[in-house]
Amino acid sequence: MVEQSVIGRRRVMAGATGLALAAALPLRRARAATPTINIGYFVETKPTMIAKAQGWFEEMAAAKINWIEMGSGAQINAGMVGGSLDIGMGIGSSPSAAGISQGIPYKVIAMLDNIGPAEEMTVRASDNIKAPADFKGKKIATPFGSTSHFRLMGFLKTNGLSLSDVTVLDLPPEQIVAAWKRGDIDGAYVWSPAKAELLADGGAVYETYKELDARGYVIADLFVARNAFAKAHGMAVTGILKAYGKALDLYQSKPDEAAAIVGKAAGVSTEVAAANLKEYDFVPLREQLTSQWLGSPGKPGAFAAELEHTAEFLVGQKSIRRALKLPAYQKGIDTHYLEEAVA
Amino acid sequence: MIGLLHRRPWIVTLISIAAVVGAWAGATYGGLISDLLLPTPDELWDGAADLVVNGYKGYSLGAHIGLSLLRVGLGFGLGTILGTLLGLAMGMSEVLDALAAPFIEFLRPLPQLAYLVLLIIWFGIGETPKIVLLFLAALPVSAIAARDGVRNVSGERVRAAQSLGANRAQIFLHVVLPSALGEIFIGARLSIGIVYATLIAAEMIAGASGIGWLILDAGRFLRSDYVIAGVLLIAAMGIALDRGLLLLQRRIVHWAGK
Amino acid sequence: MSGQAEGGTMRPWSRYGLGCLSVLAALALWQAAGSFRLVPAGLLASPAQVVAALIDISRHGYRGTSLGQDIAATLARALAGFLVGSAVGVPLGLWMGTSRLTTAALDWIVQFLRPLPPLSFLVLLMLWLGTGNLAKVALLALTAFPIVTSATYAAVAAVPQQKIQAAQSLGASRAQIFAHVLLPAALPMISTGLRIALAAAFSTVVASELMAGSDGLGWMIFSASQFLRNDIILLGIILLGILGMGLNGLLLRLDHRLIHWRGRE
């Protein structure tokens, strides 16, 4: 009698434990199925704003998103180190190269855009600046640490201009506009909307991007994903990229509608949004997988070399302690989420 | 043992410092903390040495320190002198006090970073907005301290002087002012603290020099070695400034006699 | 001994009246500067524009957060940082005031933290504690802590030895001396320290909202500056100033109420 009840008790215990486990498991899986993604982003006139406004990111990643506004790529890096950011959207290639070199635990998963002419040197039309030598004695402003800063320093270097020839000032974009209006600066290397305001106020473009791109000063805005997060939620990461792809498609097929959505989200008029959007080279997701850009898994593309070059440049600026060799930057790019997103 | 420690407390301080440094070294060398978050002691040393030898982005370390001190000195000096004069006047004249008090009381708790943007818009991007910001940080505290110093002058003394036939100016110079000096100096020490804390915000404007800017700029690329070296340096400078003022206070207030 | 040098000759409401007059004059000057183009356009928003911005943001919020949320967020951070810093600072200061060894062991940390401009270690805190509110509140706590600790320590040290000796000779225990002699004597100075610390925390809360912010009056000002919305910038400044004055006034009144024995021997 006693033995039977003992066995009975054990069976009941086992059964209860089994039930408890069975009950707990679906709960845990359910929690894993709707993760919360912490995304650091910028309020800017780019197609990411479309996907954000329409909720496509949440939809395709099947996740809740914590949108954290960033002031600079450096803040994205800081957030990644501390683990408080999972995805960085729109981080420049400069801070990304720095991040990979410093061992920040993230990888580049896609390009947001190739910047090209969108960030450019703007000078006063009345100053009649036609050649690099004309920059001597001028005050040029740029936000330090940005891709524009990188380009400006590249411009000085490739044209043999030193920091005593040209005064370079660190100003955020909105102060560049104010300084320009006051006449405190002679030029700026910056992006729109600041750039557009300078051009509208007696400014003229001094084209540098073609030459700089050819000399290895390609700049781009990127998506980065924290390693631990990506490993745990690969599907969500792919979803994020899918959502961006959808936004890009909308921009290609219906640019006016896209511009209206972007304008509303960024707090500017549709016209300004449309003009800003046109300046960027939004490389389609499929094209990013070619050898010209990020390459595909196992076949790294040319962009890794751009990151290496950027890192070497940053070492020269004392912004980072050391640059790594090319394979490190190739490994710093992980395109298999991209591949899944276009599949 | 405890008796020894009581007699020589600096031993305890040294042990305490050693414990912290030891924990830091252990955590970083032991890999508990990645070197992005905290540099190892020798990385910090290398970074500091690099700053001393090579300077930072175009200026020597001494130049950065000097420029920061110059800005603090100008802002603090102008703000404290003008603030003290204003405060003395406010203490002596109730009308002036009533007129000026709203603005002083509004300015005092106002966070400097909040109106930094305005100053840049109004004064441009040179040294002027930096000095103005530091000046405005020092002004209200000095004014209030001077005003309170005047108010707290012993009524007896004033009446005693009056009964001796002293006129207003004489009362002010020989009774009020010396008596208020103590509070004026307390205000000065408070205001230099505030000015100093505002230094970094001031150097954010079109920054290219100064210890505060150095820390912010190095922080952009997470150069924690430069950042911590800069933080240690700025702390040391701050302590030196405060001690300097304390010495000055002891000299002058003692001389003014009580 | 304190006393009015000149005697309070002005009646309170005439003081108040003069003050209002002064502010109104300043407002008029401000409005005139804009209307008569004394200041180039775009550099200064007029009082009318600021009021319009106030109405707009009260109704529709600013970029997704309501004005109430921004004010609450800023206040909450400042108070939280101040409370944490004081909760650690007052007991520590008391302990240091009564134990020379504790002072020797810990004072160097307090003295090191005191002159440190908060902005200088914000980046480090964000690296260590992430981009959320934890780093921001930590920054404010670290700003308030050394002020409170120093003031408390100084307050205890300033208690006249005679008082303590007198209590001892009456046979009071250590605990009784602490509760009935030391603490009351030290409270005025501690309270002053707390007020300064809260002012410092409030002063720094805007700095804490500079990076990775998503709400708060400081964030509103920075965000508005990116879009060159001078009216919102000015609105934010005025609101911050009023909040600051309010906090200060509140604390002063609390101080007067609770520490009614201030100034008496």
Side-chain angles (χ1 to χ4, degrees), chain A residues 74 77-78 81-82 94-95 98 102-105 144-145 149 168-171 175 178-179 182 184-185 314 317-322, chain B residues 34-37 39 43 50 54-57 120-125 204-208 213 217 219-226:
Chain A
N77 277 353
V81 172
S94 245
Q102 293 170 318
I104 298 184
F144 275 24
H149 184 215
V168 178
L169 293 170
D170 175 17
L171 286 173
Q175 283 176 31
R182 273 188 319 261
D184 288 339
I185 52 175
L314 289 174
Q317 290 273 297
K318 298 255 198 92
S319 298
I320 55 179
R321 271 185 230 130
R322 64 195 80 84
Chain B
S34 111
D35 85 325
L36 278 169
L37 295 177
E43 273 172 354
D50 185 17
N54 298 321
Y56 185 80
K57 295 208 179 160
I120 303 171
I121 294 177
W122 294 342
F123 295 104
I125 55 177
M204 271 169 62
I205 308 171
W213 172 80
D217 191 64
R220 260 191 260 260
F221 282 102
L222 309 182
R223 283 298 304 249
S224 50
D225 53 350
Y226 286 162

Side-chain angles (χ1 to χ4, degrees), chain A residues 135-138 156-157 159-168:
Chain A
F135 281 94
K136 290 205 183 153
K138 295 275 181 270
L156 293 180
K157 185 157 178 234
N159 290 293
L161 294 165
S162 76
L163 283 176
S164 37
D165 293 325
V166 180
T167 310
V168 178

Side-chain angles (χ1 to χ4, degrees), chain B residues 146-232:
Chain B
R147 181 191 70 180
D148 288 349
V150 171
R151 287 221 189 121
N152 288 339
V153 169
S154 145
E156 284 180 11
R157 286 187 158 200
V158 175
R159 284 190 288 277
Q162 279 172 331
S163 70
L164 287 173
N167 63 30
R168 248 179 101 91
Q170 284 169 320
I171 294 179
F172 178 77
L173 271 175
H174 297 285
V175 180
V176 175
L177 195 52
S179 175
L181 264 178
E183 298 217 30
I184 292 178
F185 263 97
I186 294 181
R189 285 181 66 204
L190 256 180
S191 87
I192 200 162
I194 297 177
V195 169
Y196 198 64
T198 312
L199 177 67
I200 301 196
E203 292 184 345
M204 271 169 62
I205 308 171
S209 64
I211 288 288
W213 172 80
L214 190 155
I215 295 175
L216 281 180
D217 191 64
R220 260 191 260 260
F221 282 102
L222 309 182
R223 283 298 304 249
S224 50
D225 53 350
Y226 286 162
V227 170
I228 294 187
V231 167
L232 289 172

Side-chain angles (χ1 to χ4, degrees), chain B residues 2 5-7 9-10 12-13 16-17 20 36-38 91-92 94-95 97-103 105-106 108-115 117-118 121-122 147 150-156 158 168 176 189-190 196-197 200-201 204 215-216 219 222 224 227-228 231-232 234-235 238-239 242-243, chain C residues 1-10 14-16 18-23 26 39 42-44 100-101 103-106 108-109 111-112 114-121 123-124 127-128 196 199 202-208 210-211 221-222 225 228 230 233-234 237-238 240-242 244-245 248:
Chain B
I2 300 285
L5 291 177
H6 261 287
R7 280 193 301 274
W10 51 265
V12 180
T13 310
S16 172
I17 298 179
V20 170
L36 278 169
L37 295 177
L38 200 62
M92 299 293 288
E94 289 231 16
V95 173
D97 184 32
L99 285 174
F103 302 103
E105 298 286 348
F106 179 80
R108 180 160 84 157
L110 195 59
Q112 282 77 32
L113 258 187
Y115 57 90
V117 177
L118 272 188
I121 294 177
W122 294 342
R147 181 191 70 180
V150 171
R151 287 221 189 121
N152 288 339
V153 169
S154 145
E156 284 180 11
V158 175
R168 248 179 101 91
V176 175
R189 285 181 66 204
L190 256 180
Y196 198 64
I200 301 196
M204 271 169 62
I215 295 175
L216 281 180
L222 309 182
S224 50
V227 170
I228 294 187
V231 167
L232 289 172
I234 213 173
I239 294 176
D242 187 53
R243 288 292 148 89
Chain C
M1 272 265 286
S2 54
Q4 280 282 45
E6 297 290 315
T9 49
M10 234 189 210
S14 55
R15 236 193 93 91
Y16 185 65
L18 267 179
C20 284
L21 200 69
S22 188
V23 172
V39 169
L43 285 190
L44 190 66
R100 210 182 321 166
L101 283 184
T103 308
L106 297 174
W108 66 274
I109 300 179
Q111 296 306 322
F112 171 73
R114 259 195 25 198
L116 267 190
L119 254 184
S120 64
F121 54 93
V123 175
L124 286 176
L127 265 181
W128 299 337
I196 298 180
F202 184 73
S203 202
T204 311
V205 75
V206 170
S208 78
L210 177 59
M211 297 193 195
I221 294 179
F222 296 134
S225 78
L228 289 176
N230 289 346
I233 295 175
L234 278 169
I237 293 175
I238 293 175
L240 274 172
I242 296 177
M245 286 199 297
N248 217 22

